[in-house]
Amino acid sequence: MKTIQLRRYTLVDGEYDAFLSWWQGSMPRVRPEAGFAIEFAYGLRETNEFVWAVSAPGDQDAFLALEATYMESDARAAVFAGVPQRVAEYNVRFVDDFA
């Protein structure tokens, strides 16, 4: 069993390329090191959006416990240090996996 979180962002105008560069250089390293798997990631340049999914083994409670540890980690703090706010709106939800 795994839990999947869908993360949809509307990016700050003019920050699309900078966000993608930062994300590609950071998340594929830091999230798996913290016990997560990145299921997919897509950018929608026309609408200034970025959509990705991250998963972790277990139920939602296990995911939330892992996420709490990740949010407080030095590794996460390091990849966000000095990075300007590039996300204007977050929409983060758990999804049902039917595959």
Side-chain angles (χ1 to χ4, degrees):
M1 167 185 214
K2 68 180 175 181
T3 298
I4 301 172
Q5 186 183 66
L6 181 66
R7 306 179 65 86
R8 297 182 297 178
Y9 304 159
T10 301
L11 303 176
V12 171
D13 286 341
E15 293 292 331
Y16 184 87
D17 290 326
F19 175 85
L20 287 182
S21 179
W22 169 83
W23 191 93
Q24 290 173 318
S26 301
M27 290 300 112
R29 176 180 43 82
V30 73
R31 280 287 189 155
E33 287 175 359
F36 296 94
I38 296 174
E39 298 289 326
F40 63 82
Y42 297 101
L44 294 89
R45 185 176 296 277
E46 290 177 6
T47 56
N48 209 33
E49 294 175 275
F50 186 75
V51 180
W52 63 299
V54 63
S55 67
D59 61 13
Q60 282 188 23
D61 289 338
F63 186 104
L64 291 171
L66 189 62
E67 187 172 53
T69 299
Y70 164 72
M71 295 297 281
E72 296 297 322
S73 71
D74 291 339
R76 183 188 181 277
V79 299
F80 280 89
V83 176
Q85 181 60 36
R86 293 187 172 127
V87 179
E89 183 180 337
Y90 295 87
N91 186 332
V92 179
R93 303 277 187 269
F94 289 110
V95 297
D96 297 321
D97 183 6
F98 295 107

